[in-house]
Amino acid sequence: MVRTFAEVLHFPGLAGVTVLAGEPARVHPAAVVVVERLADLRALAAGSVAVLSDLATADAWGYRLDVAVREVAAVRVAGLVLTGARAPAQVPATVAGMAECAGVVVLRADQEPLADLVVSLSAALVGGPGEQLRVVASAHAALADLERRGAEDPLAEATRVASDALGRPVAQQYDAGTQTAEQVAETVECEGEPTRWLVVDAGAADQVTARLVLTLAAGAAGAAGRLLAANRRREDVPVRSRSAVLGEVLVASGERLSRLLDTARAVGMPIDGWHEVVRIEFDDGRGRALDEVSRFALLESATRLALQVARASGRTWNVAQADGAVVLVRTSRYDPGTAGTRDTAAVADRVLARLADLAPGGAQWCGIGTAHDGATGLLASAAEARAAVSKGRALGRAGQSVVYDLTGLGRMLVDWYASDSARQAVHDLLRPLEALDRHRAEAAIETLHVYLDERGSTSRAGERLHLHRNAVTYRIKSITDLLGVDLDDADQRLALQLACRARLFR
């Protein structure tokens, strides 16, 4: 362990050493060197403690002591020890000021012989064999625990343990060629990570101790990394199974939905609780969809990260991909109420903050459905979340969660559309339009929706759709021909209007 001069001077055998200048609590000595001539001070290594012999101490008086302190300061020597009967009891103010500014500690040692002083100082600095064994044993115990329990970042954890044991920061390097002759290094390989080197200055302890600790750290990091990877693979199987089933449940209906619900229960999804759905959609930041390759890569990364962040809240969460969006589902045994919705929104905001780094320059749109009970409630909350995303887009609230409004006709439509019969009725009514390619289908349904909302006014519908009224007339004629409906019939007109509004929640 690297100690300061203040700590070193408390060791046995050093009671006769006193401080003449400098700040011993701020200086960390690394090695002891006996100096017979003042001229040899220029050749010392940084961090050394220069112990002047009787002869050298006798030469270090008056201005020569000033020169000696300047020379050790220039090469970053940690300390200068004056010994023998001619060692001064105090130093001039110029020496004291220079030592303090340069980070050099000037000491006086009374004890004889010189060899005993050097041995005591060396033992205090590197600890001696007993201290070195204690350092290695302490590191071994901590690293063995790391191997057993694993860690989210095993290499970082092993590096921290090694740093604590050696008393000096251990660094990670990718390039072995960047190490200096004064450093001890050990290669480390963790599963799924590039090869790196753990590096520490040799002055942190003797060479053997440093290398032993780094070797133990490298081995522990590799073992813990393999354990972490194995655990993740085991955990990934049920997570992916639940994710796949949940994705199908969100778009299924009728008998197929009933079968999927049984499958969901079999893979451990709590289908029969209270569900709140968080839906997150992505685009390029200009309202345009991402290309297929970018979207796939983003969804894969975002799905894993979203679930990780959500589960850190301590609740029960599942995740799925549906229609190009990430869908998180929080499930509770009891109705969480409005407080639960606020908590879910807070978690969603934390998820959004983490996801922002995955696609710089892109936009995220997040909607949150309120809590509903059971399988039907899951679909209802999912529909609300989709509607909340649409509201967020309309309000320009990218990167922010939007909670579905509990009031108004929308809530009634969501509850109605969650039923199998309603979903089937909407699908049957709009089937001819949905049979078109996706872009034409969306344009046709939006045109019909706006036209019906504007009570058949082609001019007002044209303003909302940014189309000429004649274009609206042409589109409506094509739509009614495809659907085979009569918009003068009030019942048919109402059915289409409800279908178009409900379709927005899909």
Side-chain angles (χ1 to χ4, degrees):
M1 176 179 292
V2 177
R3 299 181 175 90
T4 65
F5 260 123
E7 295 170 320
V8 165
L9 296 181
H10 286 93
F11 269 64
L14 298 176
V17 180
T18 56
V19 177
L20 300 179
E23 299 185 31
R26 298 176 59 184
V27 180
H28 295 75
V32 180
V33 180
V34 177
V35 176
E36 297 286 353
R37 301 180 308 151
L38 294 183
D40 295 336
L41 292 174
R42 304 186 189 95
L44 297 181
S48 300
V49 179
V51 178
L52 302 188
S53 66
D54 286 355
L55 182 61
T57 299
D59 286 342
W61 61 273
Y63 78 92
R64 290 183 179 178
L65 182 55
D66 286 51
V67 173
V69 173
R70 284 196 188 93
E71 288 186 344
V72 296
V75 294
R76 301 177 65 186
V77 165
L80 189 66
V81 184
L82 306 174
T83 66
R86 285 179 284 187
Q90 60 183 18
V91 296
T94 53
V95 171
M98 191 187 315
E100 184 174 346
C101 291
V104 175
V105 178
V106 180
L107 306 109
R108 180 180 186 275
D110 293 333
Q111 66 258 50
E112 297 284 353
L114 183 63
D116 290 346
L117 171 64
V118 172
V119 170
S120 297
L121 277 173
S122 297
L125 294 184
V126 301
E131 178 66 11
Q132 294 169 29
L133 286 174
R134 188 200 65 79
V135 168
V136 174
S138 173
H140 179 267
L143 292 166
D145 179 63
L146 171 63
E147 286 189 41
R148 286 192 299 270
R149 62 180 170 80
E152 189 62 31
D153 189 342
L155 184 53
E157 185 73 8
T159 303
R160 183 193 62 77
V161 171
S163 299
D164 290 346
L166 294 174
R168 183 171 295 182
V170 174
Q172 297 178 22
Q173 292 181 357
Y174 288 95
D175 185 0
T178 63
Q179 297 153 18
T180 67
E182 297 177 353
Q183 294 176 321
V184 174
E186 183 64 38
T187 184
V188 56
E189 295 184 10
C190 289
E191 186 169 342
E193 296 282 347
T195 299
R196 300 182 214 180
W197 279 262
L198 297 180
V199 183
V200 68
D201 289 342
D206 65 29
Q207 293 271 334
V208 174
T209 304
R211 190 165 298 283
L212 279 173
V213 170
L214 293 192
T215 301
L216 290 171
R226 289 188 291 274
L227 175 63
L228 176 65
N231 289 340
R232 282 179 172 171
R233 284 192 291 269
R234 284 195 296 270
E235 293 171 358
D236 198 40
V237 173
V239 168
R240 286 188 174 275
S241 298
R242 289 192 293 269
S243 178
V245 173
L246 176 58
E248 293 190 58
V249 166
L250 293 173
V251 297
S253 60
E255 184 178 339
R256 183 165 179 271
L257 175 60
S258 297
R259 291 197 303 270
L260 283 171
L261 292 178
D262 291 337
T263 303
R265 294 184 181 97
V267 297
M269 278 193 63
I271 287 295
D272 302 307
W274 287 78
H275 308 287
E276 295 167 283
V277 174
V278 177
R279 180 183 179 89
I280 303 172
E281 298 179 2
F282 305 89
D283 63 36
D284 67 351
R286 298 182 178 86
R288 297 177 302 197
L290 300 172
D291 64 83
E292 286 299 315
V293 175
S294 298
R295 185 169 67 90
F296 176 81
L298 176 59
L299 283 177
E300 286 295 300
S301 299
T303 299
R304 288 193 297 270
L305 184 55
L307 184 61
Q308 175 186 333
V309 175
R311 285 187 169 175
S313 68
R315 308 291 183 176
T316 300
W317 290 87
N318 285 285
V319 70
Q321 296 177 23
D323 298 329
V326 172
V327 178
L328 284 163
V329 180
R330 174 184 169 181
T331 305
S332 308
R333 292 180 62 188
Y334 307 103
D335 183 358
T338 55
T341 301
R342 287 194 297 270
D343 182 43
T344 298
V347 172
D349 287 333
R350 290 198 292 273
V351 170
L352 292 172
R354 293 289 301 277
L355 295 184
D357 294 333
L358 295 180
Q364 306 165 73
W365 308 94
C366 176
I368 301 173
T370 58
H372 294 266
D373 187 21
T376 301
L378 171 62
L379 300 178
S381 188
E384 289 180 352
R386 183 187 286 271
V389 168
S390 298
K391 180 179 179 181
R393 288 182 181 275
L395 296 174
R397 292 176 59 178
Q400 303 176 48
S401 60
V402 177
V403 179
Y404 181 73
D405 186 1
L406 290 173
T407 62
L409 178 62
R411 178 62 184 267
M412 296 172 59
L413 282 172
V414 166
D415 289 342
W416 170 69
Y417 189 62
S419 70
D420 290 344
S421 58
R423 289 158 69 92
Q424 189 62 48
V426 169
H427 177 69
D428 291 344
L429 191 56
L430 300 179
R431 189 196 305 271
L433 300 183
E434 292 181 333
L436 303 171
D437 65 75
R438 181 174 180 177
H439 177 74
R440 291 176 62 201
E442 294 295 334
I445 293 172
E446 182 185 18
T447 300
L448 181 59
H449 166 61
V450 171
Y451 176 77
L452 293 172
D453 272 7
E454 294 298 339
R455 292 174 292 179
S457 170
T458 55
S459 57
R460 289 197 299 271
E463 290 177 5
R464 286 179 56 181
L465 295 167
H466 306 290
L467 295 172
H468 190 275
R469 58 182 297 176
N470 291 340
V472 176
T473 301
Y474 174 78
R475 283 193 181 185
I476 292 299
K477 177 66 167 58
S478 299
I479 290 168
T480 54
D481 286 347
L482 273 173
L483 295 177
V485 295
D486 179 6
L487 295 185
D488 291 331
D489 185 304
D491 290 341
Q492 293 187 48
R493 191 168 61 247
L494 176 60
L496 283 171
Q497 191 165 15
L498 289 174
C500 288
R501 282 180 173 270
R503 175 64 164 65
L504 296 177
F505 301 126
R506 205 183 69 175

